Amino acid sequence: SIIIATLNNEDTILRNLQSIKSQNYKDYEIVIIDGGSNDQTFDQVKKIKFKNLNIKNQKGMGVYNAFNEGIISANGEIIVILNADDFFEEKNALEKISSEFDQDENINLLMSNIKIINKKNQTLRIYKNNFFKNFMFYFGMMPPHPGIFVKKKVYENFGLFNEDFKNAGDFEFLLRVIGKNKIKYKKIDNFLVNMSHGGKSNKNFKSYLINTIE
């Protein structure tokens, strides 16, 4: 299940959806949770036909509420949260995610590398997950959420995102499941997702400050 939270993403949602449509792995559903877009976001969505697309409106409830609503609505065993301004790097991204979980049924979470790109699709920065170690949670560091793929049963067993947070919901979730409950996870040396510089999944200094305080 691919969950996309949208709010006025007319400039980026088409690229996001095109990267899904081009996947060679086809056994997926898309759950879009919209926070009240008043631009051309859904005109863009209509340009691509999907067999399994579910759209819900959650106006003014926040991004973590959108993620949670998507997870609750999802029918898939694996949850992929792909921000509206991010997109898959390769056509075999979903196939790679599925095969990694199939190879070891004890894996509950998968981490991939990510690239941060500009509007010209030039790579500004890369994040390789072999850099991340669990102790880094204590210094406010975490693997980037767009490169995290989780079995739905993890949310069912350990809870959803804490909607009380403005910025730190993804950090707290990963701290809860990896740091506290020690679920089994695997790092793969593949770049599966591109994050758009300046997009909603990027944190500037102000958001890091809010994140740290929370």
Side-chain angles (χ1 to χ4, degrees), residues 25-36:
Y25 181 93
K26 301 298 184 183
D27 187 16
Y28 62 80
E29 66 173 355
I30 301 173
V31 182
I32 295 179
I33 310 294
D34 185 67

Side-chain angles (χ1 to χ4, degrees), residues 64-130:
Y64 294 121
N65 174 267
F67 290 165
N68 288 341
E69 287 297 320
I71 293 164
I72 292 168
S73 302
N75 296 304
E77 295 178 26
I78 300 166
I79 303 294
V80 176
I81 296 177
L82 191 66
N83 293 295
D85 38 29
D86 302 335
F87 59 99
F88 289 121
E89 160 78 1
E90 301 177 357
K91 293 182 179 180
N92 68 338
L94 291 180
E95 184 178 57
K96 181 66 177 174
I97 294 166
S98 178
S99 65
E100 289 292 343
F101 280 107
D102 286 344
Q103 288 173 27
D104 186 350
E105 63 181 18
N106 294 314
I107 293 173
N108 289 306
L109 183 149
L110 190 68
M111 293 182 190
S112 78
N113 303 328
I114 67 161
K115 294 179 182 178
I116 299 174
I117 64 166
N118 62 18
K119 292 181 179 180
K120 297 180 180 179
N121 282 346
Q122 297 169 324
T123 301
L124 300 178
R125 199 160 75 246
I126 65 171
Y127 187 102
K128 301 198 73 172
N129 59 48
N130 59 2

Side-chain angles (χ1 to χ4, degrees), residues 2-4 29-34 42 45 50-57 69-70 72-75:
I2 304 167
I3 296 167
I4 306 170
E29 66 173 355
I30 301 173
V31 182
I32 295 179
I33 310 294
D34 185 67
F42 286 99
V45 171
F50 289 98
K51 185 171 68 173
N52 208 347
L53 172 64
N54 183 13
I55 300 174
K56 292 192 169 189
N57 295 306
E69 287 297 320
I72 292 168
S73 302
N75 296 304

Side-chain angles (χ1 to χ4, degrees), residues 36-68:
S37 294
N38 55 17
D39 65 353
Q40 304 302 310
T41 294
F42 286 99
D43 290 332
Q44 298 293 331
V45 171
K46 292 174 186 176
K47 290 181 178 180
I48 304 180
K49 301 299 181 184
F50 289 98
K51 185 171 68 173
N52 208 347
L53 172 64
N54 183 13
I55 300 174
K56 292 192 169 189
N57 295 306
Q58 293 291 121
K59 188 173 181 179
M61 301 292 286
V63 67
Y64 294 121
N65 174 267
F67 290 165
N68 288 341

